[in-house]
Amino acid sequence: MADIVSAYWATPPVARTVSTLVFASSVAVYTGMVSMEPFLFHYMFLLKFPPGIHRLVTSFLVTGPQLGVIFDTYFLYTYLSQLEKTNSKFTRKEDLIWYLTFVGSFIIIINQLWTGAPIYLQALMIAMCYTAVQDARGQQAHFYVVTVPAQLMPYCLLLVNLMLAGWYSFQVGLTGIVAAHLHDFLTRLYPEFGNGVNLIPTPWFISYIMRTPHVQNTVYGSATVPPRLNEPRSGPLPDSWRSAGPGRRLG
């Protein structure tokens, strides 16, 4: 049991946290422990009092039914951990959080204008798959029992959605590719080929939240770490006074 717990806490923190939330929420919904209603999104919920702001997040926390709970959670963890550990675009945790925020927001907007879908996890998974394979072009990937070029993986997921869930699910999944491509264009394609800059850099406040307080990941969880003794500390004295050495009491 201790080995399982240690292995769990050793996984990438963002992928671990999101996948655990999705799995727990889906099990709770499909076993009848909680209602599906708080997980559904429509823009009208934002106009009520109190506004349903939580739905901007919960609408990404429910998988498909039955075996979808297992397979969707697995694919979600796989693609999210690839982005967190190996993707060159997300060298910092806050960059990945901003990616999820931007892509998720755009997925909601497109679906509200086009499909009217209330649940968006499938679209987000396809978006993450699209982003993950951009660095794997020319390589081969395994999709169930077949081997395909890595860059075709998100389109394979779209095809499975079409075959198993129909045209409506295909349209929802397609919004994920559109959102991921827009993010790739604004952060990579335009700066590289248009001699421009990253048009959607990670906001400073996300970096501030991620770095305050100091958090250290351990095999047993996360621990808050106080600033080191040699780190500069804020206080009422000027820097020149603090660097002069320990004070002496007079009298």
Side-chain angles (χ1 to χ4, degrees):
M1 184 63 181
D3 292 339
I4 297 177
V5 173
S6 298
Y8 174 80
W9 287 114
T11 55
V14 176
R16 176 183 69 229
T17 302
V18 175
S19 300
T20 301
L21 286 174
V22 167
F23 181 79
S25 300
S26 301
V27 169
V29 166
Y30 292 123
T31 57
M33 297 174 59
V34 298
S35 170
M36 174 71 87
E37 196 275 337
F39 296 88
L40 305 178
F41 181 85
H42 190 275
Y43 73 91
M44 289 300 297
F45 286 114
L46 300 178
L47 304 179
K48 294 183 177 181
F49 185 82
I53 299 177
H54 64 281
R55 298 174 186 269
L56 295 170
V57 176
T58 58
S59 55
F60 291 94
L61 297 182
V62 178
T63 67
Q66 300 176 355
L67 290 179
V69 176
I70 297 176
F71 285 110
D72 288 350
T73 303
Y74 169 77
F75 283 122
L76 173 68
Y77 173 79
T78 298
Y79 298 133
L80 192 51
S81 61
Q82 287 179 11
L83 295 180
E84 188 171 0
K85 293 190 301 182
T86 63
N87 195 282
S88 58
K89 294 171 63 176
F90 310 116
T91 55
R92 304 176 302 169
K93 293 292 185 292
E94 53 263 42
D95 296 330
L96 181 57
I97 297 298
W98 174 236
Y99 165 83
L100 295 175
T101 302
F102 177 86
V103 171
S105 299
F106 203 75
I107 287 173
I108 291 177
I109 293 173
I110 300 176
N111 280 282
Q112 288 297 296
L113 294 175
W114 183 28
T115 69
I119 294 290
Y120 311 114
L121 180 62
Q122 291 292 331
L124 181 61
M125 286 196 301
I126 293 178
M128 290 189 295
C129 178
Y130 179 92
T131 303
V133 300
Q134 295 308 303
D135 289 345
R137 288 184 173 273
Q139 301 180 22
Q140 298 294 309
H142 295 285
F143 184 75
Y144 291 105
V145 295
V146 298
T147 301
V148 298
Q151 63 268 25
L152 295 183
M153 283 292 291
Y155 303 100
C156 292
L157 291 176
L158 271 180
L159 181 61
V160 170
N161 280 358
L162 179 63
M163 295 172 57
L164 299 182
W167 177 247
Y168 179 74
S169 180
F170 176 86
Q171 290 177 299
V172 175
L174 189 60
T175 65
I177 289 185
V178 174
H181 181 73
L182 177 63
H183 182 275
D184 192 49
F185 173 80
L186 296 177
T187 59
R188 184 179 65 86
L189 296 178
Y190 177 72
E192 286 186 7
F193 300 102
N195 296 322
V197 297
N198 181 356
L199 297 177
I200 48 171
T202 302
W204 66 268
F205 62 87
I206 296 182
S207 299
Y208 178 81
I209 293 173
M210 293 294 295
R211 297 177 183 180
T212 307
H214 298 269
V215 175
Q216 174 178 307
N217 292 317
T218 68
V219 294
Y220 303 104
S222 298
T224 301
V225 181
R228 298 179 180 177
L229 294 178
N230 60 351
E231 289 183 349
R233 300 172 181 267
S234 60
L237 297 179
D239 290 340
S240 60
W241 288 20
R242 290 201 302 270
S243 62
R248 295 289 185 264
R249 183 177 178 181
L250 302 179

